[in-house]
Amino acid sequence: MYEVILYYKFTDIEDPESFCEQHKSFCKELGVKGRIYIGREGINGTLGGTPEQMQKYKEHLTAIEGFEGIDFKTDTIDFIPFAKLKCKTRDEIVALHEEDVDPAYGGKYLEPHEWKAVMESGEDYVMIDVRNDYESKIGHFEGAITPDVENFYDFPDWLDQFDAPKDKKVLMYCTGGIRCEKFSVLMKEKGWEDVNQLHGGILRYANEEGGEHYKGKCFVFDDRLVVPVNKDNLEPIARCEITGKPADSYINCANMECNKLFVCSKEGAIKMEGCCSEECRQSEFKRPFDPENAFRPFRKWYNYFDDEFKERELEGNA
């Protein structure tokens, strides 16, 4: 068995390039795989390896001054969902593209049991899913607003159009918590008073509360694509864009000129030869379609996108 950890820490790093070089060297020697972003504001990563490797990594990182108390979200699986190790520097460890957003001034943390209690209390609140639209499409909390945005850095523009009363209680969540750290600051700066964020995000809630009140699955930025949240309810909430039947698998359109990421069942993929439309199915630029490999749980949906797209999407994975 292997473990996958998801984590972040906002802390000042004086020389990100030097820190990154040393950290990458340690990770290579340890033999772990995954993705780590390092910047002046801290670290954001997800790694896979054996339980022993993960424990050594955690001990190493948290022993560095300023990195104490990291909330590691851990999942146990039977394969490592990363092809290699990537450790790079970034201007932002999660890209909001807004200046002077200090997570120290963010919203109040709600632990998973507190979050659940608020949902069950009958209290009046508005809940915001702080993830991209293709993430919330396959899973979200009951009653959540799921903004129609393609990137995390689109949220400031979305917020400018958000018309909830400034004195209304706000709940927000994302996959592992990092996006809420920044977005909650922005909401408070815009005048919302009672801003609360799910500490540890969906993944921690799933581990501690069993996923109650969550519908569908959780999109993750590794080769697993989706993971279960509420194991007592695994029914898909999205629908295949070809057949209209319930589905929660993503594939890329086999037409290389399209490459659209879309929800598709195996039945629909076979019918359209992996394409999102009849026009794409007739394209001379269509890749050969292998239904068995296309629906392997460890297939990388972003393999066919250009480097700029991959870097942008993987940057906002928590």
Side-chain angles (χ1 to χ4, degrees), residues 51-300:
E52 293 77 18
Q53 288 173 318
M54 294 297 93
Q55 184 59 33
K56 288 180 180 178
Y57 179 81
K58 293 176 186 178
E59 291 174 354
H60 171 81
L61 183 57
T62 56
I64 301 172
E65 184 177 357
F67 291 86
E68 306 88 350
I70 294 179
D71 178 25
F72 292 98
K73 276 70 71 175
T74 304
D75 198 7
T76 301
I77 58 176
D78 57 7
F79 65 96
I80 299 177
F82 305 99
K84 59 185 178 180
L85 172 69
K86 178 183 293 185
C87 185
K88 294 187 175 183
T89 58
R90 285 289 180 271
D91 291 336
E92 295 182 84
I93 58 174
V94 59
L96 186 60
H97 297 175
E98 293 282 322
E99 295 183 1
D100 302 321
V101 177
D102 186 348
Y105 299 97
K108 175 187 175 184
Y109 287 136
L110 289 182
E111 299 303 326
H113 71 277
E114 295 174 314
W115 177 273
K116 181 181 177 184
V118 172
M119 290 191 69
E120 296 176 346
S121 68
E123 183 178 358
D124 187 31
Y125 61 80
V126 59
M127 182 186 293
I128 305 172
D129 189 318
V130 190
R131 299 178 300 159
N132 303 333
D133 52 7
Y134 57 81
E135 297 175 74
S136 59
K137 184 175 184 178
I138 61 167
H140 52 258
F141 277 103
E142 297 170 354
I145 295 171
T146 55
D148 184 19
V149 297
E150 294 183 357
N151 305 284
F152 180 48
Y153 53 71
D154 294 325
F155 268 90
D157 289 339
W158 176 85
L159 186 58
D160 287 339
Q161 307 301 318
F162 187 52
D163 60 0
K166 297 293 177 71
D167 60 351
K168 192 164 187 176
K169 188 182 190 72
V170 174
L171 306 182
M172 66 174 64
Y173 67 90
C174 57
T175 308
I178 190 171
R179 285 177 274 192
C180 291
E181 299 277 13
K182 286 193 172 183
F183 190 62
S184 63
V185 176
L186 203 58
M187 287 205 75
K188 291 179 71 175
E189 289 178 347
K190 297 284 187 177
W192 277 270
E193 301 168 0
D194 189 2
V195 180
N196 304 267
Q197 60 195 83
L198 177 57
H199 194 199
I202 298 166
L203 298 182
R204 187 170 171 212
Y205 181 87
N207 287 334
E208 296 187 10
E209 296 299 326
E212 192 173 354
H213 304 302
Y214 188 93
K215 296 181 177 180
K217 297 184 177 68
C218 182
F219 190 102
V220 290
F221 288 82
D222 60 47
D223 293 3
R224 292 173 295 174
L225 283 180
V226 297
V227 296
V229 177
N230 185 347
K231 295 183 180 179
D232 292 328
N233 184 5
L234 300 178
E235 291 299 315
I237 66 168
R239 292 189 174 274
C240 172
E241 295 183 28
I242 303 300
T243 66
K245 295 180 179 179
D248 54 21
S249 296
Y250 272 108
I251 67 171
N252 298 108
C253 178
N255 175 10
M256 290 182 285
E257 289 192 322
C258 175
N259 276 328
K260 175 184 176 182
L261 178 68
F262 68 106
V263 176
C264 190
S265 64
K266 190 170 184 178
E267 177 185 353
I270 292 174
K271 178 181 178 180
M272 295 298 292
E273 299 175 13
C275 294
C276 68
S277 67
E278 180 61 26
E279 181 181 358
C280 285
R281 195 177 75 84
Q282 299 295 333
S283 171
E284 62 180 303
F285 300 103
K286 184 173 60 119
R287 290 185 298 270
F289 178 67
D290 180 352
E292 296 305 319
N293 286 330
F295 285 87
R296 288 183 302 166
F298 49 88
R299 179 179 182 271
K300 283 189 176 180

Side-chain angles (χ1 to χ4, degrees), residues 23-29 31-36 46-47 82-87:
H23 200 68
K24 185 174 184 179
S25 178
F26 170 79
C27 290
K28 280 187 173 181
E29 185 176 342
V32 296
K33 297 178 181 179
R35 188 270 309 140
I36 305 169
T46 179
L47 292 175
F82 305 99
K84 59 185 178 180
L85 172 69
K86 178 183 293 185
C87 185

